């Protein structure tokens, strides 16, 4: 299976809608990246993808990446320094645990969208929407090696 087929086109649309909804009330940026395999530490790989996707370039360093290696069954969440200093590692760990519980029941889209929407609420707390905000990063899901 090609990683682009892990979520149906309809599910991909729902995930992108969740990203747009989550970003509606915040200047924060959320991305989703899927790969088939991660042959090491998922957080290290996700951090590398985070940088390659240009997520360190947001003005307030408030980008968040949801990284899934679908065939390796690995998930990592990376928050840039601006949001991470507010929520700390415990927040990401709890969010990841909640998402993995849903994944364990084969509710991948639901787990991912719930994580995205929860992150949007957290970003809103610390980085509320400003009238001059621009969408700094695309909402589309990225796939494959970066």
């Amino acid at each position: 299976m090609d990683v682009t087929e892990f979520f149906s086109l309809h599910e991909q649309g729902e995930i992108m809608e969740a990203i747009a909804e989550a970003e509606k009330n915040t200047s924060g940026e959320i991305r989703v990246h899927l790969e088939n395999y991660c042959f090491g530490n998922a957080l290290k790989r996700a951090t590398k993808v985070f940088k390659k996707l240009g997520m360190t370039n947001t003005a307030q360093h408030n980008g968040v990446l949801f990284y899934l290696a679908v065939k390796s069954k690995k998930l990592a969440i990376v928050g840039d320094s601006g949001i991470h200093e507010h929520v700390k590692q415990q927040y990401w760990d709890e969010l990841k645990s909640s998402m993995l519980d849903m994944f364990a029941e084969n509710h991948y889209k639901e787990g991912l969208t719930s994580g995205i929407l929860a992150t949007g609420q957290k970003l809103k707390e610390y980085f509320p929407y400003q009238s001059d905000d621009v969408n700094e990063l695309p909402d589309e899901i990225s796939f494959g090696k970066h």
Side-chain angles (χ1 to χ4, degrees), residues 7 99 101-113:
F7 291 111
M99 292 173 66
D101 287 346
M102 294 179 110
F103 290 179
E105 297 179 10
N106 291 319
H107 298 295
Y108 293 99
K109 189 234 359 149
E110 295 81 1
L112 184 55
T113 55

Side-chain angles (χ1 to χ4, degrees), residues 73-93:
K73 299 185 185 250
K74 293 184 180 182
L75 167 68
I77 306 168
V78 177
D80 206 350
S81 59
I83 184 62
H84 188 73
E85 75 181 35
H86 291 290
V87 300
K88 309 292 185 228
Q89 190 59 44
Q90 181 179 352
Y91 174 76
W92 304 121
D93 292 343

Side-chain angles (χ1 to χ4, degrees), residues 7 18 21 30 53 59 69 86-87 94 110 113 115-116 119 122 135:
F7 291 111
E21 179 66 29
I30 298 171
L53 292 175
H86 291 290
V87 300
E94 289 172 1
E110 295 81 1
T113 55
I116 289 166
T119 298
K122 198 52 83 168
N135 192 8

Side-chain angles (χ1 to χ4, degrees), residues 37-126:
Y37 296 102
C38 174
F39 296 107
N41 181 287
L43 187 56
K44 283 184 181 180
R45 176 68 186 137
T47 301
K48 186 175 183 178
V49 170
F50 186 93
K51 291 175 183 169
K52 288 200 174 205
L53 292 175
M55 294 189 69
T56 57
N57 298 331
T58 60
Q60 296 182 329
H61 300 284
N62 56 2
V64 176
L65 174 67
F66 290 87
Y67 169 86
L68 284 83
V70 297
K71 290 187 178 178
S72 299
K73 299 185 185 250
K74 293 184 180 182
L75 167 68
I77 306 168
V78 177
D80 206 350
S81 59
I83 184 62
H84 188 73
E85 75 181 35
H86 291 290
V87 300
K88 309 292 185 228
Q89 190 59 44
Q90 181 179 352
Y91 174 76
W92 304 121
D93 292 343
E94 289 172 1
L95 182 62
K96 180 180 172 183
S97 177
S98 163
M99 292 173 66
L100 287 173
D101 287 346
M102 294 179 110
F103 290 179
E105 297 179 10
N106 291 319
H107 298 295
Y108 293 99
K109 189 234 359 149
E110 295 81 1
L112 184 55
T113 55
S114 72
I116 289 166
L117 294 172
T119 298
Q121 287 299 311
K122 198 52 83 168
L123 284 166
K124 178 183 170 184
E125 259 180 70
Y126 301 105

